[in-house]
Amino acid sequence: MKFFVDTANLDQIKEARDLGVLDGVTTNPSLMAREGVTGKDAIYAHYKAICDIVDGDVSAEVISTDFEGIVAEGTALSEIAPNIVVKVPMIKEGVKALRYFSDHDIRTNCTLVFSAGQALLAAKAGATYLSPFIGRINDLNWDGMQLIHEIAELYAIQGFETEILAASIRTSRDIVEAGKAGADVVTCPLDSILGLLKHPLTDIGLEKFLADHRAANG
Ligand code: G3P
């Protein structure tokens, strides 16, 4: 199971990398805006900076919504660095673009996925990664993790190679649940990854070990 960090914040990406468990980065236009990165040149330079930090895949999302625009933008993004993955929305023009990119050996991440039908379409079009948005489904009081189960079963039965990238993951427990449900990758904020560390018995146990060592050794 791969861990991606879902942020455009360079310090957080470095911290995740230094932890030694980071396999990649996902971004989206909202995350880029949150970092104050605006304008095409600055956005492309920021993607380059992220790619210089991590060896793994870095998803860079297109803004265009028409086929020609998505292809032009995605091609330009893919030229920033070899580890760029072009993030394409699950819309009709996006599906056409996924097929184009697949035929031209440009790797993709199909985003804004909320149903198994959309997952089927993206895999048929040759998407490298598929991003079902778990948290946003849960926000509507539906079951986001059930969707991961359903897609994992569907892809296994049909033999699709598209990797399931559980996105909009916001809690440490959801990372574990996504893994159990069959996600190949999770992407989440750094805090959710760091949350996996936490258990009070670990802290209590360590404190006792160190106290015993001090008592015995002075
Ligand atoms: O990768 C997509 C993800 O960033 C969406 O997360 O928390 O905005 O639903 P969220």
Side-chain angles (χ1 to χ4, degrees):
M1 181 177 180
K2 296 184 211 168
F3 279 16
F4 288 2
V5 69
D6 193 33
T7 182
N9 182 283
L10 300 182
D11 290 336
Q12 289 183 18
I13 293 168
K14 283 179 195 156
E15 187 176 341
R17 176 204 60 193
D18 291 346
L19 194 60
V21 298
L22 187 67
D23 298 298
V25 176
T26 52
T27 64
N28 61 42
S30 304
L31 293 171
M32 294 294 273
R34 191 180 298 170
E35 297 307 312
V37 185
T38 55
K40 185 182 170 191
D41 290 349
I43 289 171
Y44 278 45
H46 200 78
Y47 283 136
K48 178 76 175 75
I50 295 173
C51 291
D52 287 344
I53 296 170
V54 293
D55 293 331
D57 289 342
V58 174
S59 287
E61 188 160 343
V62 298
I63 306 302
S64 306
T65 54
D66 62 296
F67 173 74
E68 287 78 13
I70 295 171
V71 164
E73 202 183 331
T75 302
L77 287 168
S78 74
E79 288 165 357
I80 294 174
N83 51 336
I84 285 280
V85 172
V86 180
K87 208 168 173 189
V88 177
M90 172 36 78
I91 55 175
K92 188 176 177 187
E93 298 290 288
V95 172
K96 287 164 62 179
L98 288 172
R99 167 51 56 200
Y100 173 91
F101 289 133
S102 177
D103 290 345
H104 290 78
D105 291 328
I106 293 175
R107 293 173 314 128
T108 53
N109 174 358
C110 181
T111 189
L112 291 166
V113 170
F114 296 93
S115 76
Q118 292 177 325
L120 192 53
L121 209 46
K124 285 286 292 175
T128 312
Y129 293 105
L130 178 91
S131 287
F133 276 30
I134 302 313
R136 293 191 192 186
I137 295 174
N138 292 342
D139 288 345
L140 298 182
N141 201 26
W142 294 343
D143 189 348
M145 215 52 78
Q146 179 54 37
L147 178 60
I148 299 292
H149 276 285
E150 190 178 6
I151 297 170
E153 185 180 8
L154 180 63
Y155 279 12
I157 290 169
Q158 296 298 330
F160 287 124
E161 291 180 358
T162 300
E163 291 189 57
I164 303 169
L165 194 172
S168 185
I169 293 277
R170 302 171 190 152
T171 68
S172 306
R173 186 64 207 171
D174 273 346
I175 297 175
V176 177
E177 292 298 332
K180 286 165 59 185
D184 301 291
V185 190
V186 288
T187 190
C188 57
L190 175 60
D191 279 350
S192 302
I193 296 175
L194 295 177
L196 293 172
L197 284 165
K198 293 179 187 164
H199 199 291
L201 291 179
T202 303
D203 300 335
I204 291 166
L206 181 60
E207 199 175 315
K208 177 79 167 66
F209 284 155
L210 295 180
D212 288 347
H213 176 82
R214 277 195 302 272
N217 294 275

